[in-house]
Amino acid sequence: MAKIIVVASGKGGVGKTTVTIGLGKALAAGGARVLLVDFDHLRSVDLMLGAAEDVVFDWGDVVLGRCAVEEALLQAQGVSFFACPPSYDGITARQVRALITQAEPHFDYILCDAPAGIGTGLVLAAAAAQRAIVVATPDLVCVRSACRAARELESLGVKSSRLVINRAVRSDIRRKRLLNIDDVIDSTGVQLIAIIPEDKRLRTAGMEGGVYLRNQLSYEAFTNLAGRVQGRNVPLMYLFI
Ligand code: ADP
Ligand code: MG
Protein backbone atom coordinates (compact mmCIF):
# COMPACT_ATOMS: atom_id res chain seq x y z
CA MET A 1 0.00 0.00 0.00
CA ALA A 2 1.27 3.47 -0.86
CA LYS A 3 1.96 6.01 1.85
CA ILE A 4 -0.15 9.07 1.09
CA ILE A 5 1.16 12.40 2.34
CA VAL A 6 -0.40 15.85 1.98
CA VAL A 7 2.06 18.76 1.81
CA ALA A 8 0.42 21.92 3.14
CA SER A 9 1.03 25.33 4.70
CA GLY A 10 -1.06 28.22 5.88
CA LYS A 11 0.79 30.96 4.09
CA GLY A 12 1.45 30.87 0.36
CA GLY A 13 4.80 30.84 -1.39
CA VAL A 14 6.68 29.10 1.42
CA GLY A 15 7.94 26.21 -0.70
CA LYS A 16 5.27 23.49 -0.61
CA THR A 17 5.72 22.61 -4.26
CA THR A 18 9.50 22.77 -3.97
CA VAL A 19 9.37 20.42 -0.96
CA THR A 20 6.88 18.11 -2.70
CA ILE A 21 9.14 17.78 -5.73
CA GLY A 22 12.40 17.63 -3.75
CA LEU A 23 11.01 14.93 -1.46
CA GLY A 24 9.39 13.07 -4.36
CA LYS A 25 12.57 13.00 -6.41
CA ALA A 26 14.68 12.01 -3.40
CA LEU A 27 12.32 9.09 -2.67
CA ALA A 28 12.41 8.10 -6.35
CA ALA A 29 16.23 8.26 -6.38
CA GLY A 30 16.14 5.65 -3.61
CA GLY A 31 14.05 3.35 -5.80
CA ALA A 32 10.52 4.26 -4.66
CA ARG A 33 7.67 4.66 -7.12
CA VAL A 34 6.36 8.18 -6.57
CA LEU A 35 3.21 9.97 -7.69
CA LEU A 36 2.79 13.73 -7.19
CA VAL A 37 -0.75 15.11 -7.32
CA ASP A 38 -1.12 18.87 -7.79
CA PHE A 39 -4.05 20.44 -5.90
CA ASP A 40 -3.13 24.05 -6.63
CA HIS A 41 -4.86 25.72 -9.58
CA LEU A 42 -1.68 27.72 -10.17
CA ARG A 43 -0.29 24.38 -11.46
CA SER A 44 3.31 24.66 -10.31
CA VAL A 45 4.12 20.93 -10.22
CA ASP A 46 4.22 20.39 -13.99
CA LEU A 47 5.98 23.74 -14.43
CA MET A 48 8.69 22.97 -11.86
CA LEU A 49 9.14 19.51 -13.38
CA GLY A 50 9.69 21.19 -16.76
CA ALA A 51 6.71 19.29 -18.18
CA ALA A 52 4.02 21.99 -18.56
CA GLU A 53 3.89 21.40 -22.32
CA ASP A 54 3.07 17.72 -21.82
CA VAL A 55 -0.17 18.38 -19.96
CA VAL A 56 -3.32 17.75 -21.99
CA PHE A 57 -5.56 16.27 -19.29
CA ASP A 58 -5.52 16.74 -15.51
CA TRP A 59 -6.85 14.64 -12.63
CA GLY A 60 -10.14 16.60 -12.73
CA ASP A 61 -10.71 15.24 -16.24
CA VAL A 62 -10.23 11.71 -14.87
CA VAL A 63 -12.69 12.03 -11.98
CA LEU A 64 -15.27 13.76 -14.19
CA GLY A 65 -14.99 10.96 -16.77
CA ARG A 66 -13.51 13.08 -19.55
CA CYS A 67 -10.39 10.93 -20.08
CA ALA A 68 -8.80 7.67 -19.01
CA VAL A 69 -6.41 7.73 -16.06
CA GLU A 70 -3.48 6.82 -18.37
CA GLU A 71 -4.11 9.97 -20.42
CA ALA A 72 -3.67 12.26 -17.40
CA LEU A 73 -0.87 10.36 -15.66
CA LEU A 74 2.45 11.84 -16.83
CA GLN A 75 6.12 11.18 -16.04
CA ALA A 76 8.99 13.65 -15.63
CA GLN A 77 12.34 13.63 -13.83
CA GLY A 78 11.81 10.15 -12.40
CA VAL A 79 8.38 10.73 -10.86
CA SER A 80 4.78 10.42 -12.08
CA PHE A 81 2.35 13.28 -11.68
CA PHE A 82 -1.21 14.49 -12.22
CA ALA A 83 -1.70 18.17 -13.10
CA CYS A 84 -4.33 20.20 -11.25
CA PRO A 85 -7.71 21.03 -12.83
CA PRO A 86 -8.49 24.74 -13.38
CA SER A 87 -11.47 24.53 -11.01
CA TYR A 88 -12.93 22.21 -8.36
CA ASP A 89 -16.51 22.67 -9.57
CA GLY A 90 -18.36 19.38 -9.33
CA ILE A 91 -15.38 17.59 -7.72
CA THR A 92 -15.86 15.94 -4.32
CA ALA A 93 -13.47 14.52 -1.71
CA ARG A 94 -15.02 11.12 -2.39
CA GLN A 95 -14.00 11.29 -6.05
CA VAL A 96 -10.46 12.27 -5.09
CA ARG A 97 -10.29 9.32 -2.68
CA ALA A 98 -11.49 7.00 -5.44
CA LEU A 99 -8.83 8.32 -7.85
CA ILE A 100 -6.03 7.89 -5.32
CA THR A 101 -7.28 4.44 -4.32
CA GLN A 102 -7.10 3.47 -7.98
CA ALA A 103 -3.51 4.76 -8.26
CA GLU A 104 -2.34 3.35 -4.93
CA PRO A 105 -1.27 -0.18 -5.94
CA HIS A 106 1.14 1.26 -8.51
CA PHE A 107 3.08 3.56 -6.16
CA ASP A 108 5.03 3.52 -2.90
CA TYR A 109 4.44 7.21 -2.14
CA ILE A 110 1.70 9.58 -3.23
CA LEU A 111 2.42 13.22 -2.38
CA CYS A 112 -0.51 15.64 -2.57
CA ASP A 113 0.67 19.22 -3.07
CA ALA A 114 -1.96 21.46 -1.45
CA PRO A 115 -2.64 25.11 -2.26
CA ALA A 116 -2.05 27.76 0.43
CA GLY A 117 -4.64 28.21 3.15
CA ILE A 118 -7.38 26.02 4.55
CA GLY A 119 -10.03 26.02 1.83
CA THR A 120 -11.47 23.45 -0.57
CA GLY A 121 -8.07 22.70 -2.08
CA LEU A 122 -6.74 21.57 1.29
CA VAL A 123 -9.85 19.47 1.97
CA LEU A 124 -9.39 17.68 -1.37
CA ALA A 125 -5.60 17.32 -0.99
CA ALA A 126 -6.15 15.77 2.44
CA ALA A 127 -9.00 13.52 1.31
CA ALA A 128 -6.92 10.34 1.04
CA ALA A 129 -3.87 11.33 3.10
CA GLN A 130 -2.67 9.40 6.13
CA ARG A 131 0.02 11.89 7.11
CA ALA A 132 0.91 15.53 6.53
CA ILE A 133 3.98 17.64 6.05
CA VAL A 134 3.44 21.30 6.86
CA VAL A 135 5.96 23.75 5.44
CA ALA A 136 6.94 27.05 7.02
CA THR A 137 9.70 29.57 6.63
CA PRO A 138 11.31 30.54 9.93
CA ASP A 139 9.17 33.59 10.72
CA LEU A 140 6.29 33.99 13.13
CA VAL A 141 3.46 34.69 10.72
CA CYS A 142 4.36 31.69 8.67
CA VAL A 143 4.79 29.40 11.65
CA ARG A 144 1.41 30.41 13.06
CA SER A 145 -0.29 29.70 9.78
CA ALA A 146 1.46 26.33 9.49
CA CYS A 147 0.20 25.51 12.97
CA ARG A 148 -3.32 26.45 11.91
CA ALA A 149 -3.03 24.24 8.81
CA ALA A 150 -1.85 21.32 10.98
CA ARG A 151 -4.90 21.77 13.23
CA GLU A 152 -7.20 21.97 10.25
CA LEU A 153 -5.64 18.79 8.86
CA GLU A 154 -6.23 17.07 12.16
CA SER A 155 -9.89 17.99 12.03
CA LEU A 156 -9.96 16.56 8.50
CA GLY A 157 -8.71 13.25 9.89
CA VAL A 158 -4.97 13.59 9.12
CA LYS A 159 -3.68 13.06 12.63
CA SER A 160 0.05 12.93 12.06
CA SER A 161 1.78 16.15 10.92
CA ARG A 162 5.49 16.90 10.65
CA LEU A 163 7.06 20.32 10.12
CA VAL A 164 9.55 21.26 7.42
CA ILE A 165 11.37 24.55 7.95
CA ASN A 166 12.24 25.85 4.51
CA ARG A 167 14.57 28.65 3.43
CA ALA A 168 16.57 28.60 6.65
CA VAL A 169 19.44 31.08 6.58
CA ARG A 170 22.24 30.40 9.04
CA SER A 171 23.33 33.96 9.59
CA ASP A 172 19.79 35.27 10.08
CA ILE A 173 18.92 32.60 12.60
CA ARG A 174 22.21 33.16 14.44
CA ARG A 175 21.57 36.89 14.70
CA LYS A 176 18.01 36.17 15.91
CA ARG A 177 16.66 38.29 13.12
CA LEU A 178 14.42 35.39 12.30
CA LEU A 179 12.70 33.10 14.70
CA ASN A 180 14.98 30.66 16.45
CA ILE A 181 14.38 27.09 15.27
CA ASP A 182 13.46 25.91 18.77
CA ASP A 183 10.87 28.67 19.06
CA VAL A 184 9.48 27.57 15.73
CA ILE A 185 9.06 24.02 16.96
CA ASP A 186 7.48 25.15 20.22
CA SER A 187 5.00 27.47 18.58
CA THR A 188 3.78 24.93 16.03
CA GLY A 189 3.56 22.05 18.44
CA VAL A 190 4.36 19.96 15.38
CA GLN A 191 7.45 17.76 15.34
CA LEU A 192 10.25 18.92 13.07
CA ILE A 193 11.23 16.52 10.28
CA ALA A 194 13.60 18.64 8.17
CA ILE A 195 15.33 21.96 7.74
CA ILE A 196 15.88 22.96 4.12
CA PRO A 197 18.40 25.75 3.61
CA GLU A 198 17.86 28.84 1.53
CA ASP A 199 19.27 27.76 -1.83
CA LYS A 200 19.66 30.32 -4.57
CA ARG A 201 19.56 27.57 -7.18
CA LEU A 202 16.01 26.71 -6.06
CA ARG A 203 14.76 30.22 -6.77
CA THR A 204 15.03 29.55 -10.48
CA ALA A 205 14.55 25.79 -10.32
CA GLY A 206 11.61 25.85 -12.75
CA MET A 207 13.83 27.22 -15.49
CA GLU A 208 17.17 25.62 -14.67
CA GLY A 209 16.86 21.86 -14.54
CA GLY A 210 14.60 21.59 -11.49
CA VAL A 211 14.68 20.76 -7.81
CA TYR A 212 16.94 18.08 -6.27
CA LEU A 213 20.08 18.32 -8.34
CA ARG A 214 23.43 17.22 -6.90
CA ASN A 215 24.99 20.67 -7.24
CA GLN A 216 22.27 22.29 -5.11
CA LEU A 217 22.87 23.23 -1.47
CA SER A 218 19.50 21.73 -0.52
CA TYR A 219 20.23 18.31 -2.11
CA GLU A 220 21.37 16.60 1.06
CA ALA A 221 18.54 18.07 3.13
CA PHE A 222 16.00 16.52 0.73
CA THR A 223 17.85 13.18 0.81
CA ASN A 224 17.69 13.24 4.60
CA LEU A 225 14.02 14.21 4.58
CA ALA A 226 13.28 11.24 2.31
CA GLY A 227 15.18 8.96 4.70
CA ARG A 228 13.12 10.13 7.66
CA VAL A 229 9.85 9.86 5.71
CA GLN A 230 10.85 6.24 5.03
CA GLY A 231 11.28 5.72 8.76
CA ARG A 232 15.08 5.68 8.81
CA ASN A 233 16.86 7.22 11.76
CA VAL A 234 18.60 10.08 9.96
CA PRO A 235 19.81 12.85 12.27
CA LEU A 236 18.24 16.25 11.71
CA MET A 237 20.60 18.59 9.89
CA TYR A 238 21.26 21.46 12.28
CA LEU A 239 24.82 21.67 11.03
CA PHE A 240 24.43 24.73 8.90
CA ILE A 241 22.68 26.76 11.59
P1 ADP B 1 4.44 27.23 -2.61
O1 ADP B 1 4.19 25.93 -3.30
O2 ADP B 1 4.33 27.13 -1.12
O3 ADP B 1 3.63 28.35 -3.17
P2 ADP B 1 6.94 27.24 -4.06
O4 ADP B 1 7.50 25.88 -3.86
O5 ADP B 1 6.27 27.53 -5.36
O6 ADP B 1 5.98 27.62 -2.86
O7 ADP B 1 8.11 28.26 -3.80
C1 ADP B 1 7.92 29.67 -3.90
C2 ADP B 1 9.19 30.30 -4.41
O8 ADP B 1 10.23 30.14 -3.46
C3 ADP B 1 9.70 29.67 -5.68
O9 ADP B 1 10.22 30.66 -6.52
C4 ADP B 1 10.79 28.74 -5.23
O10 ADP B 1 11.76 28.50 -6.21
C5 ADP B 1 11.35 29.49 -4.03
N1 ADP B 1 11.93 28.59 -3.02
C6 ADP B 1 11.32 27.56 -2.39
N2 ADP B 1 12.15 26.96 -1.52
C7 ADP B 1 13.34 27.63 -1.59
C8 ADP B 1 14.62 27.50 -0.93
N3 ADP B 1 14.83 26.56 0.01
N4 ADP B 1 15.59 28.36 -1.28
C9 ADP B 1 15.39 29.33 -2.22
N5 ADP B 1 14.23 29.50 -2.87
C10 ADP B 1 13.20 28.68 -2.55
MG1 MG C 1 2.75 25.42 -4.70
Side-chain angles (χ1 to χ4, degrees), residues 20-54:
T20 303
I21 293 176
L23 171 60
K25 286 182 68 176
L27 288 165
R33 299 164 303 164
V34 176
L35 170 64
L36 311 182
V37 188
D38 193 352
F39 284 87
D40 189 341
H41 299 313
L42 298 177
R43 259 189 50 186
S44 313
V45 170
D46 54 81
L47 201 67
M48 272 202 216
L49 285 172
E53 302 295 316
D54 299 345

Side-chain angles (χ1 to χ4, degrees), residues 207-228:
M207 289 162 280
E208 290 175 24
V211 180
Y212 197 62
L213 303 177
R214 275 182 196 280
N215 64 355
Q216 291 170 346
L217 183 67
S218 52
Y219 181 84
E220 199 185 343
F222 283 123
T223 305
N224 291 346
L225 169 60
R228 281 192 291 275

Side-chain angles (χ1 to χ4, degrees), residues 141-216:
V141 175
C142 195
V143 165
R144 279 216 195 96
S145 62
C147 185
R148 178 113 197 269
R151 261 189 266 121
E152 186 68 19
L153 283 161
E154 203 174 337
S155 75
L156 291 169
V158 188
K159 303 292 179 205
S160 168
S161 284
R162 294 286 181 273
L163 175 69
V164 169
I165 298 288
N166 188 32
R167 309 196 74 158
V169 178
R170 177 180 16 194
S171 56
D172 281 353
I173 290 173
R174 269 212 191 123
R175 282 183 220 131
K176 307 259 183 208
R177 243 191 275 143
L178 295 178
L179 209 63
N180 185 287
I181 291 289
D182 288 337
D183 297 343
V184 173
I185 299 165
D186 288 348
S187 51
T188 54
V190 180
Q191 204 182 319
L192 187 68
I193 192 168
I195 302 168
I196 313 289
E198 172 71 25
D199 180 347
K200 62 177 192 297
R201 291 209 170 91
L202 287 185
R203 284 182 223 145
T204 48
M207 289 162 280
E208 290 175 24
V211 180
Y212 197 62
L213 303 177
R214 275 182 196 280
N215 64 355
Q216 291 170 346

Side-chain angles (χ1 to χ4, degrees), residues 94-139:
R94 208 168 142 186
Q95 288 170 318
V96 171
R97 264 193 296 273
L99 172 76
I100 291 185
T101 303
Q102 192 185 348
E104 230 192 314
H106 307 285
F107 295 97
D108 301 304
Y109 288 91
I110 301 178
L111 307 182
C112 300
D113 182 21
I118 51 176
T120 308
L122 183 66
V123 173
L124 295 181
Q130 305 130 350
R131 310 195 246 166
I133 286 177
V134 290
V135 183
T137 52
D139 68 85

Side-chain angles (χ1 to χ4, degrees), residues 82-96:
F82 281 128
C84 187
S87 126
Y88 293 136
D89 286 352
I91 296 176
T92 63
R94 208 168 142 186
Q95 288 170 318
V96 171

